Amino acid sequence: MFPTGFVWGAATSAYQIEGSLSADGRGRSIWDTFCGQDGRIVGGDNADTAIDHYNRYRDDVKLMADLGLTAYRFSVSWPRIQPDGSGAYNAQGLDFYKRLVDELLSYGIDPWLTLYHWDLPQPLEDAGGWPSRDTSKRFADFAATVHAELSDRVRHWSTVNEPWCSAFLGYASGEHAPGRREPAAALRAAHHLNLAHGLAVQAMRAQNADSQIGGCVNVYPVTPATGSEADQDAARRIDGLQNRFFLDALLKGAYPEDVLADLGHLSDMEFIQDGDLATISAPLDMLLINYYSRFTVSGAPGGAASAAAAPTDSGSPWIGSEHVGFVNGGRPVTSMGWEVDDSGLYEILRRIADEYPRVPLYISENGAAYDDEIGEDGSVHDPERLAYIEAHLRTCHAAIESGIPLQGYFAWSLMDNFEWAWGYGKRFGLVYVDYETQARTLKSSALWYADAIRHGGLLGRAQ
Ligand code: IFM
């Protein structure tokens, strides 16, 4: 049994589900542009329709209520609310989220709002994108407006989802929008995403609402493939860039010295200005943790087989550590090629609780893609996803028992959706979506999760 008040949620993001990209005054985002470029998305897919959540949100909220979710984590689309990324706001865009939130509240589902899940307004990219410091300021203005408009009905706020991805997949490997391959710019982007988080926290706090505000990181335990010095150095480097660059900045107010040294050949770090780290590390009410897998790494020359291969032609996101290889650690993998390892979740939670104490923690994304199919009887059996979620929830329970301040869990994702550069080929949903008809079908993992929520624990199984 989980403690009373444990948050049982599921998560999505605007660009992956909404569609209706030209409706009601929405502006263009970097992902609209990226999807329009040849070779960027597997199969030439795009998110023009996605899963049509913009029109079907009422039915989707009803599904959440049927599952018994106590919370729903979603993101707002910046170009829907502020089409140019600066200047005028679009009342119709804001209204959509007000209607969505009211619908959630009418079922007693707590809305958890993420301000940025990767859909930067295109005009801001044209002006330099995240490598430009001004983008952080634009984001704080945007955060202030959304918070002023919605904090009367939304209590839980998070700033930037997975800044590592926006910085290093967007500006170093180029496998995400805007598709740039500029390592030095990616480093600036990473700092400005952290700064955007800090400035947004400041702007929201200034409004004196009763909001719970957090940041959101994607973290991985990193294991050296062997005890060799080269492999241990590889693990230190990847841990530094993936985990500590963000955790230390947000929670300790400093960038790790070893990471800055690894990257010294790229920049003199002049873009880190006095006072930035104090802004970035303003106290948080919660830390949102996205966990999927563990990395096993090798520093041996030529050991570059990648467990996290990009689907399209791209560079390396591991700036300054491009030589590091990602090795299969021998565990079963999901259809993304990601190793299933719930012990990694415990390891990273333990570490965060020990190294950055006193911040309430939430698993804000956790889940797995598998090649689901709808059966002749119309049902979707996904035993591997069910086992994945069960194992990770059991680990969450063990974490709580051992004193880690973990207070909730959000499955990724509520529904199958547009998986970025992978298009629609990777299904993460608890709910199956037929992309031709937009019909939604609860998978067996969804029925199992609903059962767990009903029991408040993992006593019964639906299948
Ligand atoms: O779909 C993504 C999500 O947008 C961010 N976190 C990881 C998920 C699976 O790749």
Side-chain angles (χ1 to χ4, degrees):
M1 300 301 290
F2 281 73
T4 311
F6 186 77
V7 174
W8 297 91
T12 63
S13 86
Y15 197 72
Q16 292 177 273
I17 64 168
E18 286 179 359
S20 297
L21 300 185
S22 331
D24 300 333
R26 178 187 178 278
R28 285 182 64 74
S29 85
I30 52 173
W31 275 93
D32 303 354
T33 308
F34 191 70
C35 290
Q37 296 168 347
D38 284 347
R40 295 297 203 181
I41 312 292
V42 173
D45 288 348
N46 62 53
D48 292 1
T49 306
I51 59 169
D52 196 28
H53 174 75
Y54 192 72
N55 295 310
R56 294 168 192 262
Y57 73 92
R58 284 202 173 85
D59 294 343
D60 291 340
V61 172
K62 169 81 172 51
L63 267 180
M64 299 175 211
D66 291 345
L67 291 176
L69 298 186
T70 64
Y72 171 54
R73 174 173 178 251
F74 63 98
S75 73
V76 295
S77 158
W78 189 348
R80 208 181 275 296
I81 293 177
Q82 193 184 30
D84 291 332
S86 57
Y89 285 86
N90 173 27
Q92 283 179 293
L94 269 165
D95 279 353
F96 170 67
Y97 297 106
K98 288 181 182 169
R99 291 198 301 277
L100 170 64
V101 165
D102 288 346
E103 195 70 15
L104 289 164
L105 294 173
S106 76
Y107 286 99
I109 300 169
D110 195 12
W112 284 52
L113 189 152
T114 298
L115 286 158
Y116 185 73
H117 198 125
W118 307 352
D119 43 356
L120 185 72
Q122 183 63 41
L124 293 187
E125 176 56 31
D126 297 341
W130 285 111
S132 159
R133 189 175 174 93
D134 192 56
T135 304
S136 312
K137 297 183 191 151
R138 301 284 67 78
F139 178 68
D141 288 350
F142 168 68
T145 296
V146 179
H147 190 258
E149 293 281 342
L150 282 162
S151 56
D152 59 339
R153 52 196 109 176
V154 174
R155 182 142 188 271
H156 292 93
W157 293 76
S158 68
T159 53
V160 177
N161 180 71
E162 300 182 353
W164 183 91
C165 294
S166 284
F168 298 118
L169 301 181
Y171 293 91
S173 72
E175 69 205 77
H176 277 188
R180 287 165 58 179
R181 292 192 201 171
E182 302 165 34
L187 182 54
R188 298 173 69 94
H191 175 64
H192 293 144
L193 283 150
N194 282 342
L195 182 62
H197 156 83
L199 291 171
V201 172
Q202 218 170 57
M204 291 190 279
R205 294 268 192 238
Q207 294 174 3
N208 290 324
D210 180 30
S211 299
Q212 294 285 295
I213 300 177
C216 176
V217 287
N218 54 324
V219 286
Y220 294 76
V222 185
T223 316
T226 71
S228 76
E229 215 171 290
D231 290 358
Q232 291 190 38
D233 185 61
R236 177 195 62 72
R237 285 166 170 271
I238 300 305
D239 176 57
L241 206 54
Q242 178 75 54
N243 301 321
R244 288 181 285 122
F245 189 86
F246 299 95
L247 289 170
D248 283 10
L250 264 61
L251 300 169
K252 289 184 177 169
Y255 284 124
E257 289 297 332
D258 63 314
V259 177
L260 296 183
D262 291 343
L263 301 173
H265 63 292
L266 287 175
S267 168
D268 59 8
M269 315 287 165
E270 98 309 327
F271 53 84
I272 305 173
Q273 297 186 6
D274 283 353
D276 283 1
L277 280 149
T279 303
I280 292 168
S281 60
L284 296 176
D285 302 307
M286 54 189 184
L287 181 69
L288 307 195
I289 296 172
N290 294 357
Y291 174 82
Y292 289 91
S293 191
R294 172 195 298 278
F295 289 149
T296 305
V297 297
S298 156
S306 176
T312 51
D313 177 36
S314 65
S316 169
W318 303 107
I319 58 170
S321 298
E322 291 85 354
H323 65 285
V324 170
F326 288 72
V327 178
N328 188 300
R331 302 174 187 85
V333 294
T334 69
S335 77
M336 298 294 282
W338 299 348
E339 288 183 48
V340 177
D341 183 12
D342 56 285
S343 73
L345 174 59
Y346 186 85
E347 204 172 305
I348 202 82
L349 281 171
R350 177 84 267 159
R351 171 177 170 193
I352 291 174
D354 290 348
E355 280 186 36
Y356 312 91
R358 289 184 293 280
V359 194
L361 305 176
Y362 292 87
I363 300 302
S364 39
E365 287 184 24
N366 175 244
Y370 289 106
D371 298 332
D372 308 310
E373 285 177 8
I374 197 142
E376 280 178 12
D377 62 353
S379 59
V380 182
H381 290 291
D382 60 340
E384 291 166 304
R385 179 176 299 99
L386 191 160
Y388 180 103
I389 292 178
E390 176 172 6
H392 287 78
L393 271 169
R394 286 191 185 282
T395 299
C396 288
H397 188 265
I400 295 167
E401 294 279 287
S402 75
I404 293 171
L406 177 66
Q407 301 190 359
Y409 176 92
F410 291 79
W412 182 271
S413 175
L414 175 67
M415 300 173 281
D416 293 336
N417 59 47
F418 178 73
E419 178 56 23
W420 306 112
W422 293 93
Y424 296 98
K426 304 293 179 194
R427 293 179 176 274
F428 274 91
L430 296 171
V431 176
Y432 182 90
V433 178
D434 178 327
Y435 295 121
E436 296 293 318
T437 64
Q438 296 293 348
R440 274 76 160 139
T441 304
L442 300 187
K443 301 178 192 177
S444 28
S445 57
L447 299 173
W448 179 88
Y449 191 48
D451 196 47
I453 297 172
R454 232 182 346 265
H455 284 92
L458 305 180
L459 300 176
R461 295 182 67 130
Q463 63 158 36

